[in-house]
mmCIF file of all heavy atoms in Angstrom:
data_model
loop_
_atom_site.group_PDB
_atom_site.id
_atom_site.type_symbol
_atom_site.label_atom_id
_atom_site.label_comp_id
_atom_site.label_asym_id
_atom_site.label_seq_id
_atom_site.Cartn_x
_atom_site.Cartn_y
_atom_site.Cartn_z
ATOM 1 N N TYR A 252 152.609 125.141 72.659
ATOM 2 C CA TYR A 252 153.245 123.918 73.143
ATOM 3 C C TYR A 252 154.364 124.280 74.111
ATOM 4 O O TYR A 252 155.072 125.258 73.894
ATOM 5 C CB TYR A 252 153.861 123.137 71.979
ATOM 6 C CG TYR A 252 152.853 122.576 71.000
ATOM 7 C CD1 TYR A 252 152.281 123.388 70.021
ATOM 8 C CD2 TYR A 252 152.476 121.237 71.044
ATOM 9 C CE1 TYR A 252 151.354 122.880 69.112
ATOM 10 C CE2 TYR A 252 151.558 120.712 70.137
ATOM 11 C CZ TYR A 252 151.000 121.544 69.183
ATOM 12 O OH TYR A 252 150.087 121.036 68.281
ATOM 13 N N GLU A 253 154.519 123.471 75.136
ATOM 14 C CA GLU A 253 155.674 123.656 76.021
ATOM 15 C C GLU A 253 156.662 122.535 75.755
ATOM 16 O O GLU A 253 156.302 121.354 75.781
ATOM 17 C CB GLU A 253 155.251 123.617 77.495
ATOM 18 C CG GLU A 253 156.450 123.821 78.419
ATOM 19 C CD GLU A 253 156.056 123.967 79.882
ATOM 20 O OE1 GLU A 253 154.887 123.716 80.222
ATOM 21 O OE2 GLU A 253 156.952 124.335 80.665
ATOM 22 N N LEU A 254 157.898 122.904 75.501
ATOM 23 C CA LEU A 254 158.930 121.911 75.196
ATOM 24 C C LEU A 254 160.153 122.151 76.062
ATOM 25 O O LEU A 254 160.454 123.295 76.419
ATOM 26 C CB LEU A 254 159.377 122.036 73.742
ATOM 27 C CG LEU A 254 158.336 121.833 72.640
ATOM 28 C CD1 LEU A 254 158.979 122.142 71.301
ATOM 29 C CD2 LEU A 254 157.804 120.403 72.666
ATOM 30 N N GLU A 255 160.840 121.056 76.354
ATOM 31 C CA GLU A 255 162.151 121.215 76.978
ATOM 32 C C GLU A 255 163.055 121.832 75.910
ATOM 33 O O GLU A 255 163.020 121.438 74.747
ATOM 34 C CB GLU A 255 162.689 119.850 77.418
ATOM 35 C CG GLU A 255 164.005 119.959 78.134
ATOM 36 C CD GLU A 255 164.456 118.626 78.750
ATOM 37 O OE1 GLU A 255 163.632 117.678 78.789
ATOM 38 O OE2 GLU A 255 165.612 118.544 79.183
ATOM 39 N N MET A 256 163.846 122.808 76.311
ATOM 40 C CA MET A 256 164.764 123.441 75.364
ATOM 41 C C MET A 256 165.646 122.370 74.725
ATOM 42 O O MET A 256 166.111 121.454 75.403
ATOM 43 C CB MET A 256 165.663 124.439 76.095
ATOM 44 C CG MET A 256 164.929 125.704 76.456
ATOM 45 S SD MET A 256 164.867 126.785 75.028
ATOM 46 C CE MET A 256 164.601 128.320 75.888
ATOM 47 N N GLY A 257 165.892 122.527 73.427
ATOM 48 C CA GLY A 257 166.742 121.569 72.731
ATOM 49 C C GLY A 257 165.955 120.493 71.992
ATOM 50 O O GLY A 257 166.533 119.569 71.424
ATOM 51 N N TYR A 258 164.647 120.595 71.978
ATOM 52 C CA TYR A 258 163.795 119.603 71.307
ATOM 53 C C TYR A 258 163.997 119.718 69.788
ATOM 54 O O TYR A 258 164.066 120.831 69.256
ATOM 55 C CB TYR A 258 162.338 119.892 71.664
ATOM 56 C CG TYR A 258 161.373 118.767 71.389
ATOM 57 C CD1 TYR A 258 161.165 117.760 72.325
ATOM 58 C CD2 TYR A 258 160.651 118.719 70.189
ATOM 59 C CE1 TYR A 258 160.256 116.740 72.079
ATOM 60 C CE2 TYR A 258 159.748 117.696 69.940
ATOM 61 C CZ TYR A 258 159.553 116.713 70.878
ATOM 62 O OH TYR A 258 158.660 115.704 70.643
ATOM 63 N N PRO A 259 164.094 118.577 69.086
ATOM 64 C CA PRO A 259 164.331 118.659 67.635
ATOM 65 C C PRO A 259 163.170 119.348 66.902
ATOM 66 O O PRO A 259 162.015 118.976 67.078
ATOM 67 C CB PRO A 259 164.445 117.196 67.208
ATOM 68 C CG PRO A 259 164.730 116.438 68.468
ATOM 69 C CD PRO A 259 164.087 117.195 69.578
ATOM 70 N N PHE A 260 163.508 120.331 66.096
ATOM 71 C CA PHE A 260 162.525 121.175 65.418
ATOM 72 C C PHE A 260 161.643 120.359 64.466
ATOM 73 O O PHE A 260 160.417 120.455 64.468
ATOM 74 C CB PHE A 260 163.269 122.279 64.638
ATOM 75 C CG PHE A 260 162.442 123.492 64.297
ATOM 76 C CD1 PHE A 260 163.053 124.610 63.712
ATOM 77 C CD2 PHE A 260 161.073 123.555 64.543
ATOM 78 C CE1 PHE A 260 162.314 125.748 63.391
ATOM 79 C CE2 PHE A 260 160.328 124.682 64.224
ATOM 80 C CZ PHE A 260 160.944 125.778 63.636
ATOM 81 N N LYS A 261 162.326 119.515 63.657
ATOM 82 C CA LYS A 261 161.590 118.757 62.637
ATOM 83 C C LYS A 261 160.593 117.787 63.287
ATOM 84 O O LYS A 261 159.440 117.673 62.874
ATOM 85 C CB LYS A 261 162.585 117.996 61.764
ATOM 86 C CG LYS A 261 161.990 117.612 60.445
ATOM 87 C CD LYS A 261 163.016 117.048 59.490
ATOM 88 C CE LYS A 261 162.281 116.500 58.268
ATOM 89 N NZ LYS A 261 162.945 115.335 57.714
ATOM 90 N N LYS A 262 161.087 117.107 64.322
ATOM 91 C CA LYS A 262 160.235 116.161 65.044
ATOM 92 C C LYS A 262 159.028 116.898 65.638
ATOM 93 O O LYS A 262 157.892 116.411 65.607
ATOM 94 C CB LYS A 262 161.063 115.502 66.154
ATOM 95 C CG LYS A 262 160.301 114.476 66.960
ATOM 96 C CD LYS A 262 161.187 113.831 68.024
ATOM 97 C CE LYS A 262 160.329 112.911 68.874
ATOM 98 N NZ LYS A 262 160.820 112.726 70.213
ATOM 99 N N PHE A 263 159.296 118.077 66.172
ATOM 100 C CA PHE A 263 158.226 118.883 66.772
ATOM 101 C C PHE A 263 157.133 119.182 65.746
ATOM 102 O O PHE A 263 155.953 118.938 65.983
ATOM 103 C CB PHE A 263 158.815 120.181 67.340
ATOM 104 C CG PHE A 263 157.786 121.154 67.848
ATOM 105 C CD1 PHE A 263 156.844 120.759 68.792
ATOM 106 C CD2 PHE A 263 157.756 122.469 67.391
ATOM 107 C CE1 PHE A 263 155.877 121.662 69.264
ATOM 108 C CE2 PHE A 263 156.807 123.366 67.855
ATOM 109 C CZ PHE A 263 155.872 122.962 68.786
#
Side-chain angles (χ1 to χ4, degrees):
Chain A
Y252 293 80
E253 180 173 11
L254 299 174
E255 183 172 349
M256 285 279 202
Y258 196 86
F260 201 173
K261 200 171 172 213
K262 181 179 175 207
F263 174 54

